[in-house]
Amino acid sequence: MITATKKRVKYFKIILLFSFFCLVSCTSTRLSRFNAELNDGLLANSFHGLVVLDAGSKKIMYNTNGDRYFTPASNVKIFTLYTGIHSLPDRIPSLKYFSRNDTIYIEGTGNPSWFHPSLKDSTAFKFLSGFQNIGLHLQNSSEERYGPGWAWEDFDTYFSPEKNTMPLYGNVVTVYDVDGPQIYPKAFGDSISFESNGNLRDEYRNRFYLNGRRLDTLTIPFRTSESLTQKLLSDALGKKVHIINSFPGKEKKTLYGMETDSIYKLMMHESDNFLAEQLLMVTSSTLSDTLGTRKAIKHMLENDLSVLKHPPRWVDGSGLSRYNLFTPESMVYVLQRLYTKLPEERLFKLFPLWDASGTVEKWTYSQTPPFIYAKSGSLGNNYNLSGYLRTKSGRVLIFSIMNNHFKVPSSEIKRMVFELLLQLYHKH
């Protein structure tokens, strides 16, 4: 009896081992076809990497060039998301203050939600309305208005607002058409011109040009300054705000605003560079009185992310800079940490869904429900996609696909990426 039982156990182990090798072999074959396609024809000179990990077993299913460095573009926002979730409370630190009677002294934390066109957090506004005298300290940052390696010629484009310690209105002028052009905030109404100009704004001043532009919704970054912040806040509160050169030597308190998940979701779904940059600024406000993106990044790399096998070159929160360098293995590591830290329902809502509500204009696979929750990252000649995939059987796979230096249309790369992920969906 014992011998027969041992034989059955041995036979069962052989069957499991054979099944495992079949599974690995089939997966490797399919993914090798992906490699072959990328290495043929018009894509022969491009560079690509792919890592796939089973979230349940934590085993790597496939890895090609996972240890190589790529330009990540907006995949950097995955690291910014992780930084926020790891470092910030459930509600965003909105401002630091010290109050006495009817006087309050305030300084910004980098919180991007004040009067933001989409977020419109009014927590700080309501709080400050209760004080008669307001002292505003704005000299608590070591940041330049742009990140290292940003394209300065993008100064008037919607995706490149300036950074500062107390951003208001998303640091953009929003123009929309309701019985004629409407300006938000109204303070810029006299700065709009309908004359022809090659740019939407003068580079060094807040003069905007809309001649011939569609006004369904147009957002243009404005030049930030201490005097402008003072004016915008005074206008919003309907009372004089005074600039102060130093903060009183008293213990500061922190006012908390809207839920951080709302900011994370907008950043990830809209690939909002401004929110990403400011979230790192807010993180730095929890570490020091002097705000700075580099400070937040340095802290993460020296502490929670010091275990990364391939330390990244990480220079901004948004991925606008081509100085950034990350490996697919590092992307998968952080995605796995997020998966471990957050419930699936919460986590997957933060990532764009590859369907008509997120990544594509029309979902054409009527027999297949959307199954990819992932962040894309695009720059000229670069396309990356990293995130989660729920297979037909219910397994969750964590993946990072990074493609750099191709000269074909990015739509070709996206098609290949989706076809590969669709294979994983059906076969696992």
Side-chain angles (χ1 to χ4, degrees):
M1 176 68 70
I2 295 176
T3 301
T5 300
K6 286 183 176 179
K7 285 182 178 180
R8 284 195 294 272
V9 170
K10 182 178 180 180
Y11 179 74
F12 181 65
K13 287 182 177 179
I14 291 172
I15 292 294
L16 283 179
L17 190 61
F18 177 76
S19 300
F20 171 77
F21 278 115
C22 283
L23 177 63
V24 171
S25 176
C26 290
T27 301
S28 296
T29 299
R30 286 190 298 275
L31 298 178
S32 293
R33 289 182 193 143
F34 173 74
N35 285 340
E37 190 172 356
L38 282 177
N39 286 319
D40 287 337
L42 295 174
L43 303 178
N45 296 323
S46 67
F47 184 51
H48 60 276
L50 170 62
V51 175
V52 181
L53 175 128
D54 186 300
S57 67
K58 300 182 180 179
K59 300 294 184 183
I60 295 289
M61 298 172 59
Y62 188 78
N63 187 338
T64 182
N65 290 332
D67 60 348
R68 303 296 179 175
Y69 285 94
F70 292 79
T71 300
S74 282
N75 268 199
V76 170
K77 292 183 176 76
I78 294 171
F79 272 65
T80 299
L81 172 67
Y82 180 76
T83 298
I85 287 174
H86 175 76
S87 306
L88 298 178
D90 292 339
R91 294 189 173 274
I92 194 80
S94 191
L95 60 81
K96 293 183 179 180
Y97 69 95
F98 168 72
S99 62
R100 184 189 306 134
N101 300 324
D102 63 350
T103 299
I104 187 169
Y105 303 95
I106 63 172
E107 65 181 14
T109 61
N111 171 27
S113 65
W114 285 39
F115 313 129
H116 187 279
S118 298
L119 298 168
K120 297 182 179 178
D121 185 11
S122 60
T123 305
F125 170 79
K126 293 176 180 176
F127 176 72
L128 293 176
S129 296
F131 294 89
Q132 186 61 37
N133 302 305
I134 300 174
L136 175 62
H137 182 232
L138 294 172
Q139 299 174 15
N140 61 322
S141 172
S142 60
E143 282 295 291
E144 300 289 343
R145 60 189 175 110
Y146 291 147
W150 287 16
W152 283 59
E153 66 266 25
D154 292 333
F155 67 88
D156 64 341
T157 55
Y158 72 93
F159 58 78
S160 195
E162 298 179 7
K163 300 186 287 182
N164 64 343
T165 61
M166 188 176 286
L168 302 173
Y169 303 97
N171 282 353
V172 296
V173 175
T174 303
V175 186
Y176 52 97
D177 189 9
V178 178
D179 298 325
Q182 305 296 317
I183 313 298
Y184 180 79
K186 293 180 186 267
F188 290 101
D190 294 335
S191 302
I192 304 295
S193 172
F194 290 90
E195 300 172 358
S196 179
N197 188 287
N199 297 314
L200 291 171
R201 194 200 80 209
D202 285 342
E203 184 171 0
Y204 297 110
R205 63 172 185 157
N206 287 318
R207 187 67 185 173
F208 306 89
Y209 302 93
L210 303 180
N211 187 49
R213 309 286 183 175
R214 294 179 57 189
L215 297 183
D216 44 352
T217 295
L218 186 65
T219 56
I220 313 168
F222 56 72
R223 281 300 309 267
T224 60
S225 67
E226 289 192 6
S227 59
L228 178 59
T229 300
Q230 177 189 28
K231 173 177 171 48
L232 291 176
L233 193 56
S234 294
D235 288 351
L237 293 170
K239 62 183 72 175
K240 182 67 174 178
V241 173
H242 301 274
I243 294 287
I244 56 175
N245 293 323
S246 61
F247 202 90
K250 303 291 183 179
E251 184 177 352
K252 300 172 187 175
K253 296 181 180 179
T254 300
L255 175 73
Y256 295 91
M258 68 185 304
E259 292 183 351
T260 49
D261 269 16
S262 298
I263 304 174
Y264 300 147
K265 183 177 179 180
L266 186 62
M267 173 188 72
M268 296 293 283
H269 283 237
E270 299 297 327
S271 201
D272 193 300
N273 298 321
F274 168 74
L275 296 181
E277 296 301 334
Q278 294 297 146
L279 281 169
L280 288 189
M281 293 277 278
V282 178
T283 298
S284 74
S285 79
T286 68
L287 305 172
S288 166
D289 283 338
T290 303
L291 278 58
T293 298
R294 288 185 295 274
K295 187 170 295 184
I297 291 173
K298 185 174 185 288
H299 177 79
M300 289 299 292
L301 292 180
E302 291 182 349
N303 292 276
D304 189 68
L305 295 177
S306 64
V307 297
L308 284 174
K309 188 177 178 182
H310 314 292
R313 185 184 187 188
W314 181 10
V315 303
D316 67 12
S318 62
L320 271 175
S321 176
R322 287 185 182 265
Y323 294 165
N324 290 302
L325 290 172
F326 287 72
T327 68
E329 285 183 11
S330 292
M331 284 292 166
V332 165
Y333 175 82
V334 167
L335 288 164
Q336 183 185 17
R337 290 287 292 269
L338 283 168
Y339 186 80
T340 302
K341 187 181 287 280
L342 302 182
E344 272 188 22
E345 182 180 5
R346 179 187 172 193
L347 177 61
F348 289 177
K349 284 181 180 178
L350 297 178
F351 278 76
L353 181 62
W354 191 310
D355 70 349
S357 70
T359 308
V360 295
E361 291 184 6
K362 184 178 181 182
W363 181 254
T364 57
Y365 300 85
S366 58
Q367 302 303 313
T368 304
F371 59 93
I372 302 167
Y373 305 84
K375 182 74 193 76
S376 62
S378 300
L379 285 171
N381 312 110
N382 294 283
Y383 177 77
N384 313 296
L385 188 73
S386 302
Y388 309 93
L389 183 157
R390 189 185 296 281
T391 70
K392 189 174 183 179
S393 67
R395 293 170 66 183
V396 173
L397 307 182
I398 302 174
F399 69 89
S400 179
I401 304 175
M402 306 189 81
N403 302 280
N404 285 185
H405 315 313
F406 54 81
K407 294 183 68 177
V408 299
S410 60
S411 58
E412 291 293 314
I413 303 296
K414 293 178 184 179
R415 176 186 61 80
M416 287 177 166
V417 167
F418 180 75
E419 288 179 356
L420 169 66
L421 297 178
L422 188 62
Q423 290 180 41
L424 291 174
Y425 167 80
H426 283 296
K427 300 300 181 181
H428 295 284

